[in-house]
Amino acid sequence: MDSALSDPHNGSVEAGGPTNGTTRPPSTPEGIALAYGSLLLMALLPIFFGALRSVRCARGKNASDMPETITSRDAARFPIIASCTLLGLYLFFKIFSQEYINLLLSMYFFVLGILALSHTISPFMNKFFPANFPNRQYQLLFTQGSGENKEEIINYEFDTKDLVCLGLSSIVGVWYLLRKHWIANNLFGLAFSLNGVELLHLNNVSTGCILLGGLFIYDIFWVFGTNVMVTVAKSFEAPIKLVFPQDLLEKGLEADNFAMLGLGDIVIPGIFIALLLRFDISLKKNTHTYFYTSFAAYIFGLGLTIFIMHIFKHAQPALLYLVPACIGFPVLVALAKGEVTEMFSYESSAEILPHTPRLTHFPTVSGSPASLADSMQQKLAGPRRRRPQNPSAIGRFKKLKIGLHKPKPNLSHLPLPLPPLGTTRHRESGAGSLSEEGAQRGRAKSWKL
């Protein structure tokens, strides 16, 4: 879910606003600068490393690690689905008790957070395991039905190292579940963001423009048009946002005056930036011009969001500033380099398993197997290139001719299997039948060099 960048003071959106009947003193300039700078840094980390990991993910050969590709149809429907989800959560918080809803959501994100964090730290943890570490393979498989109707519901492969990562991630999960501490929240939020950038792939730049353009309108409407976005963001106790306290210098780790950034403002531009990195690599120019341009555009857009929010003391839809920057800057660079056509014709999904053979022509087969064998052997025995006329070559050719005078025909490469030798074949074209003796003579001519 996408949410706006806001400056809530434990429930208040404006600086120094009242909270729970009390007045909170305004944050110091140092604390505000530290909070905003930390949010900016935490937003950049999953985008940068997630984009790098998306390249390896696209080149992977394991089908279970294949990314989810977003098409133009998915991109067009996404703002509508996100709006329905956001409005549904808002109504749930208005109708039902907020405590029970957050308890249910906490358990849900507890499981997802452990899996996401384990997947995130797994490549880093592998460097710390010794070479003689006993690593065993496991598979968790749930199926439905039996026989030919059996369908896989869950097929999860893991090893001993993954179990260690799951154990460490579970410690963070229990910490978050019991304390709802902002550090545990951010660890899960960073894991969700990095996995989103890595595993969600846009198939082309046009799809990215459709997705970002739709969410551009979605974000503006739900932040400026209504109070739904801010209300859900403050009421939703789940790691769907990154938070950082503005009173950290005064209260330490127990600070509670937070600025926050929704994960949607990281993942949505992040998957577009990752697409441009894969486009850079496809150009094979050993430069990452579009990736660095879009990355710098994201820094500029998020910095402008923070500046506007600080000036007007109101929650801001971050995509209002991020979308024009992340799309406009790379397009301007493409116009300057004359690569607009290449950019919009690039297909990211074509790089997944690029060496997979595809059968594009199906040969037609007619006639009996015997006639098919004769015709194919005649083609194989067609014109040959002339060999250099030297004594050694002639001698080798004579030996080869003698050795291959009476070979056993290997017809396993034919599209249709031939009947066993010694049987009688009949042509149905009216030209008579081919007896066993005639078939043997025909094969001897075909195989004789």
Side-chain angles (χ1 to χ4, degrees):
M1 187 191 71
D2 184 38
S3 62
L5 178 64
S6 58
D7 182 20
H9 294 257
N10 197 22
S12 176
V13 179
E14 296 183 359
T19 303
N20 297 330
T22 61
T23 301
R24 195 177 291 275
S27 302
T28 61
E30 295 81 4
I32 295 175
L34 178 62
Y36 290 160
S38 300
L39 285 178
L40 179 61
L41 178 62
M42 287 191 294
L44 296 178
L45 289 176
I47 292 178
F48 184 83
F49 290 103
L52 294 179
R53 291 173 61 158
S54 75
V55 176
R56 293 193 292 268
C57 181
R59 292 174 175 176
K61 298 296 186 292
N62 191 353
S64 62
D65 294 333
M66 286 295 100
E68 292 289 336
T69 302
I70 301 175
T71 63
S72 57
R73 184 178 180 182
D74 300 328
R77 293 186 300 182
F78 190 83
I80 301 174
I81 298 174
S83 297
C84 295
T85 304
L86 182 65
L87 185 60
L89 288 173
Y90 177 79
L91 295 177
F92 263 92
F93 282 119
K94 289 294 184 181
I95 297 174
F96 300 102
S97 174
Q98 180 176 326
E99 179 182 356
Y100 296 111
I101 297 175
N102 280 322
L103 179 61
L104 179 63
L105 293 174
S106 296
M107 295 301 298
Y108 176 72
F109 282 97
F110 167 76
V111 177
L112 290 184
I114 290 176
L115 295 176
L117 186 59
S118 175
H119 181 265
T120 301
I121 67 175
S122 179
F124 303 101
M125 290 299 298
N126 287 335
K127 300 179 181 180
F128 296 97
F129 289 104
N132 58 352
F133 183 82
N135 193 29
R136 297 183 178 181
Q137 302 293 326
Y138 304 94
Q139 183 179 17
L140 183 63
L141 179 63
F142 286 94
T143 60
Q144 181 180 5
S146 60
E148 296 180 355
N149 298 325
K150 182 181 293 185
E151 296 180 359
E152 290 185 0
I153 300 176
I154 298 176
N155 188 356
Y156 184 65
E157 297 180 359
F158 56 97
D159 53 23
T160 308
K161 295 180 180 179
D162 293 328
L163 290 177
V164 175
C165 295
L166 281 172
L168 295 176
S169 302
S170 299
I171 297 175
V172 179
V174 173
W175 181 25
Y176 171 78
L177 197 63
L178 296 178
R179 298 288 306 277
K180 294 293 191 300
H181 200 274
W182 60 273
I183 295 181
N185 173 90
N186 288 346
L187 290 176
F188 278 167
L190 290 172
F192 285 139
S193 301
L194 191 145
N195 281 272
V197 176
E198 176 187 358
L199 300 176
L200 292 177
H201 286 196
L202 296 166
N203 62 348
N204 53 50
V205 175
S206 299
T207 301
C209 293
I210 294 173
L211 178 64
L212 268 67
L215 291 176
F216 173 80
I217 300 173
Y218 155 88
D219 215 17
I220 294 174
F221 173 76
W222 289 111
V223 174
F224 287 154
T226 67
N227 65 337
V228 173
M229 179 79 75
V230 177
T231 302
V232 172
K234 293 187 299 181
S235 305
F236 202 85
E237 293 184 2
I240 60 168
K241 55 186 178 290
L242 298 180
V243 298
F244 200 89
Q246 302 183 43
D247 53 350
L248 179 68
L249 300 177
E250 291 82 13
K251 296 185 178 180
L253 296 180
E254 299 302 323
D256 55 2
N257 186 6
F258 296 104
M260 66 182 178
L261 176 66
L263 298 189
D265 299 325
I266 302 173
V267 176
I268 300 302
I271 60 178
F272 187 77
I273 295 172
L275 171 68
L276 294 179
L277 175 60
R278 298 193 297 274
F279 171 63
D280 274 323
I281 295 175
S282 71
L283 296 176
K284 299 179 180 180
K285 295 182 179 180
N286 295 325
T287 59
H288 297 157
T289 305
Y290 294 100
F291 171 68
Y292 291 133
T293 301
S294 57
F295 196 75
Y298 183 85
I299 297 175
F300 170 78
L302 191 58
L304 182 61
T305 307
I306 294 173
F307 175 76
I308 297 296
M309 183 188 65
H310 182 68
I311 294 298
F312 291 96
K313 307 297 182 184
H314 189 277
Q316 296 294 315
L319 294 182
L320 171 63
Y321 311 97
L322 291 173
V323 170
C326 291
I327 294 179
F329 283 29
V331 170
L332 291 177
V333 173
L335 286 171
K337 300 180 67 175
E339 295 177 343
V340 177
T341 304
E342 290 84 348
M343 173 185 285
F344 281 88
S345 61
Y346 167 71
E347 288 286 339
S348 177
S349 58
E351 293 187 355
I352 300 176
L353 297 178
H355 304 295
T356 302
R358 292 176 174 84
L359 183 61
T360 58
H361 175 70
F362 293 89
T364 57
V365 180
S366 61
S368 65
S371 61
L372 182 62
D374 292 341
S375 62
M376 291 190 66
Q377 295 304 329
Q378 289 173 6
K379 290 181 180 180
L380 291 175
R384 304 184 184 89
R385 294 183 179 179
R386 289 186 175 272
R387 302 274 183 176
Q389 297 297 323
N390 59 72
S392 60
I394 294 174
R396 286 196 301 271
F397 179 74
K398 287 182 178 180
K399 294 179 181 179
L400 181 63
K401 182 177 180 180
I402 294 173
L404 296 179
H405 184 65
K406 293 181 179 180
K408 293 183 179 180
N410 182 10
L411 304 179
S412 60
H413 62 281
L414 297 179
L416 293 177
L418 291 179
L421 298 180
T423 60
T424 302
R425 304 170 181 83
H426 297 277
R427 290 197 182 118
E428 298 180 359
S429 60
S433 61
L434 181 64
S435 64
E436 176 183 353
E437 182 181 357
Q440 296 288 352
R441 287 200 299 269
R443 283 195 296 275
K445 287 182 178 180
S446 301
W447 286 91
K448 183 177 180 181
L449 294 177

PDB file of all heavy atoms in Angstrom, residues 3-22:
ATOM      1  N   SER A   3       1.552   5.219   0.777  1.00  0.00           N
ATOM      2  CA  SER A   3       1.126   6.243   1.723  1.00  0.00           C
ATOM      3  C   SER A   3       2.003   7.467   1.547  1.00  0.00           C
ATOM      4  O   SER A   3       3.104   7.400   1.036  1.00  0.00           O
ATOM      5  CB  SER A   3       1.221   5.727   3.163  1.00  0.00           C
ATOM      6  OG  SER A   3       2.537   5.408   3.481  1.00  0.00           O
ATOM      7  N   ALA A   4       1.499   8.580   1.997  1.00  0.00           N
ATOM      8  CA  ALA A   4       2.196   9.843   1.801  1.00  0.00           C
ATOM      9  C   ALA A   4       3.317  10.010   2.803  1.00  0.00           C
ATOM     10  O   ALA A   4       3.317   9.422   3.883  1.00  0.00           O
ATOM     11  CB  ALA A   4       1.215  11.001   1.942  1.00  0.00           C
ATOM     12  N   LEU A   5       4.275  10.831   2.413  1.00  0.00           N
ATOM     13  CA  LEU A   5       5.303  11.227   3.361  1.00  0.00           C
ATOM     14  C   LEU A   5       4.698  12.262   4.284  1.00  0.00           C
ATOM     15  O   LEU A   5       4.186  13.284   3.854  1.00  0.00           O
ATOM     16  CB  LEU A   5       6.501  11.818   2.613  1.00  0.00           C
ATOM     17  CG  LEU A   5       7.649  12.332   3.471  1.00  0.00           C
ATOM     18  CD1 LEU A   5       8.275  11.187   4.227  1.00  0.00           C
ATOM     19  CD2 LEU A   5       8.676  13.033   2.614  1.00  0.00           C
ATOM     20  N   SER A   6       4.716  11.993   5.564  1.00  0.00           N
ATOM     21  CA  SER A   6       4.070  12.897   6.517  1.00  0.00           C
ATOM     22  C   SER A   6       4.948  13.091   7.732  1.00  0.00           C
ATOM     23  O   SER A   6       5.955  12.415   7.913  1.00  0.00           O
ATOM     24  CB  SER A   6       2.691  12.356   6.922  1.00  0.00           C
ATOM     25  OG  SER A   6       2.827  11.079   7.488  1.00  0.00           O
ATOM     26  N   ASP A   7       4.504  13.989   8.555  1.00  0.00           N
ATOM     27  CA  ASP A   7       5.270  14.383   9.737  1.00  0.00           C
ATOM     28  C   ASP A   7       4.392  14.267  10.969  1.00  0.00           C
ATOM     29  O   ASP A   7       4.059  15.253  11.608  1.00  0.00           O
ATOM     30  CB  ASP A   7       5.754  15.837   9.534  1.00  0.00           C
ATOM     31  CG  ASP A   7       6.601  16.320  10.685  1.00  0.00           C
ATOM     32  OD1 ASP A   7       7.123  15.466  11.411  1.00  0.00           O
ATOM     33  OD2 ASP A   7       6.729  17.537  10.857  1.00  0.00           O
ATOM     34  N   PRO A   8       3.958  13.036  11.294  1.00  0.00           N
ATOM     35  CA  PRO A   8       3.059  12.893  12.429  1.00  0.00           C
ATOM     36  C   PRO A   8       3.812  12.942  13.742  1.00  0.00           C
ATOM     37  O   PRO A   8       4.856  12.351  13.897  1.00  0.00           O
ATOM     38  CB  PRO A   8       2.446  11.507  12.198  1.00  0.00           C
ATOM     39  CG  PRO A   8       3.495  10.758  11.480  1.00  0.00           C
ATOM     40  CD  PRO A   8       4.274  11.741  10.680  1.00  0.00           C
ATOM     41  N   HIS A   9       3.247  13.636  14.676  1.00  0.00           N
ATOM     42  CA  HIS A   9       3.834  13.686  16.013  1.00  0.00           C
ATOM     43  C   HIS A   9       2.996  12.801  16.919  1.00  0.00           C
ATOM     44  O   HIS A   9       2.132  13.265  17.662  1.00  0.00           O
ATOM     45  CB  HIS A   9       3.901  15.127  16.513  1.00  0.00           C
ATOM     46  CG  HIS A   9       4.829  15.971  15.725  1.00  0.00           C
ATOM     47  ND1 HIS A   9       6.075  16.329  16.160  1.00  0.00           N
ATOM     48  CD2 HIS A   9       4.723  16.501  14.475  1.00  0.00           C
ATOM     49  CE1 HIS A   9       6.686  17.074  15.253  1.00  0.00           C
ATOM     50  NE2 HIS A   9       5.879  17.184  14.225  1.00  0.00           N
ATOM     51  N   ASN A  10       3.249  11.496  16.784  1.00  0.00           N
ATOM     52  CA  ASN A  10       2.497  10.512  17.557  1.00  0.00           C
ATOM     53  C   ASN A  10       1.002  10.658  17.323  1.00  0.00           C
ATOM     54  O   ASN A  10       0.201  10.634  18.244  1.00  0.00           O
ATOM     55  CB  ASN A  10       2.814  10.634  19.043  1.00  0.00           C
ATOM     56  CG  ASN A  10       2.390   9.412  19.814  1.00  0.00           C
ATOM     57  OD1 ASN A  10       2.246   8.341  19.239  1.00  0.00           O
ATOM     58  ND2 ASN A  10       2.183   9.567  21.103  1.00  0.00           N
ATOM     59  N   GLY A  11       0.624  10.846  16.070  1.00  0.00           N
ATOM     60  CA  GLY A  11      -0.783  10.947  15.731  1.00  0.00           C
ATOM     61  C   GLY A  11      -1.158  12.291  15.151  1.00  0.00           C
ATOM     62  O   GLY A  11      -2.201  12.440  14.558  1.00  0.00           O
ATOM     63  N   SER A  12      -0.340  13.297  15.300  1.00  0.00           N
ATOM     64  CA  SER A  12      -0.631  14.609  14.740  1.00  0.00           C
ATOM     65  C   SER A  12       0.200  14.831  13.504  1.00  0.00           C
ATOM     66  O   SER A  12       1.376  14.492  13.452  1.00  0.00           O
ATOM     67  CB  SER A  12      -0.329  15.707  15.768  1.00  0.00           C
ATOM     68  OG  SER A  12      -0.526  16.977  15.187  1.00  0.00           O
ATOM     69  N   VAL A  13      -0.394  15.426  12.485  1.00  0.00           N
ATOM     70  CA  VAL A  13       0.305  15.638  11.229  1.00  0.00           C
ATOM     71  C   VAL A  13       1.099  16.935  11.257  1.00  0.00           C
ATOM     72  O   VAL A  13       2.080  17.078  10.564  1.00  0.00           O
ATOM     73  CB  VAL A  13      -0.715  15.645  10.058  1.00  0.00           C
ATOM     74  CG1 VAL A  13      -0.018  15.887   8.754  1.00  0.00           C
ATOM     75  CG2 VAL A  13      -1.449  14.320  10.003  1.00  0.00           C
ATOM     76  N   GLU A  14       0.700  17.882  12.037  1.00  0.00           N
ATOM     77  CA  GLU A  14       1.383  19.163  12.055  1.00  0.00           C
ATOM     78  C   GLU A  14       2.400  19.198  13.192  1.00  0.00           C
ATOM     79  O   GLU A  14       2.207  18.601  14.244  1.00  0.00           O
ATOM     80  CB  GLU A  14       0.371  20.298  12.260  1.00  0.00           C
ATOM     81  CG  GLU A  14      -0.618  20.406  11.094  1.00  0.00           C
ATOM     82  CD  GLU A  14      -1.556  21.560  11.268  1.00  0.00           C
ATOM     83  OE1 GLU A  14      -1.447  22.262  12.300  1.00  0.00           O
ATOM     84  OE2 GLU A  14      -2.417  21.778  10.397  1.00  0.00           O
ATOM     85  N   ALA A  15       3.473  19.941  12.957  1.00  0.00           N
ATOM     86  CA  ALA A  15       4.529  20.042  13.960  1.00  0.00           C
ATOM     87  C   ALA A  15       4.005  20.729  15.209  1.00  0.00           C
ATOM     88  O   ALA A  15       3.365  21.780  15.147  1.00  0.00           O
ATOM     89  CB  ALA A  15       5.714  20.836  13.396  1.00  0.00           C
ATOM     90  N   GLY A  16       4.261  20.088  16.331  1.00  0.00           N
ATOM     91  CA  GLY A  16       3.848  20.680  17.594  1.00  0.00           C
ATOM     92  C   GLY A  16       2.362  20.616  17.860  1.00  0.00           C
ATOM     93  O   GLY A  16       1.866  21.306  18.732  1.00  0.00           O
ATOM     94  N   GLY A  17       1.631  19.781  17.095  1.00  0.00           N
ATOM     95  CA  GLY A  17       0.190  19.697  17.273  1.00  0.00           C
ATOM     96  C   GLY A  17      -0.171  18.927  18.521  1.00  0.00           C
ATOM     97  O   GLY A  17       0.639  18.209  19.101  1.00  0.00           O
ATOM     98  N   PRO A  18      -1.410  19.033  18.961  1.00  0.00           N
ATOM     99  CA  PRO A  18      -1.842  18.331  20.163  1.00  0.00           C
ATOM    100  C   PRO A  18      -1.980  16.854  19.919  1.00  0.00           C
ATOM    101  O   PRO A  18      -2.397  16.423  18.863  1.00  0.00           O
ATOM    102  CB  PRO A  18      -3.194  18.973  20.476  1.00  0.00           C
ATOM    103  CG  PRO A  18      -3.666  19.486  19.165  1.00  0.00           C
ATOM    104  CD  PRO A  18      -2.470  19.855  18.403  1.00  0.00           C
ATOM    105  N   THR A  19      -1.656  16.066  20.894  1.00  0.00           N
ATOM    106  CA  THR A  19      -1.754  14.618  20.792  1.00  0.00           C
ATOM    107  C   THR A  19      -2.270  14.070  22.107  1.00  0.00           C
ATOM    108  O   THR A  19      -1.652  14.283  23.159  1.00  0.00           O
ATOM    109  CB  THR A  19      -0.373  13.997  20.482  1.00  0.00           C
ATOM    110  OG1 THR A  19       0.103  14.596  19.288  1.00  0.00           O
ATOM    111  CG2 THR A  19      -0.481  12.507  20.290  1.00  0.00           C
ATOM    112  N   ASN A  20      -3.423  13.345  22.043  1.00  0.00           N
ATOM    113  CA  ASN A  20      -4.004  12.726  23.226  1.00  0.00           C
ATOM    114  C   ASN A  20      -4.195  13.734  24.357  1.00  0.00           C
ATOM    115  O   ASN A  20      -3.916  13.455  25.533  1.00  0.00           O
ATOM    116  CB  ASN A  20      -3.118  11.563  23.711  1.00  0.00           C
ATOM    117  CG  ASN A  20      -3.026  10.466  22.676  1.00  0.00           C
ATOM    118  OD1 ASN A  20      -3.967  10.262  21.897  1.00  0.00           O
ATOM    119  ND2 ASN A  20      -1.918   9.752  22.667  1.00  0.00           N
ATOM    120  N   GLY A  21      -4.595  14.949  23.985  1.00  0.00           N
ATOM    121  CA  GLY A  21      -4.891  15.943  25.025  1.00  0.00           C
ATOM    122  C   GLY A  21      -3.671  16.648  25.560  1.00  0.00           C
ATOM    123  O   GLY A  21      -3.780  17.449  26.461  1.00  0.00           O
ATOM    124  N   THR A  22      -2.500  16.368  25.049  1.00  0.00           N
ATOM    125  CA  THR A  22      -1.281  17.017  25.523  1.00  0.00           C
ATOM    126  C   THR A  22      -0.654  17.789  24.376  1.00  0.00           C
ATOM    127  O   THR A  22      -0.921  17.540  23.209  1.00  0.00           O
ATOM    128  CB  THR A  22      -0.272  15.977  26.042  1.00  0.00           C
ATOM    129  OG1 THR A  22       0.082  15.100  24.969  1.00  0.00           O
ATOM    130  CG2 THR A  22      -0.884  15.166  27.173  1.00  0.00           C
TER     131      THR A  22
END
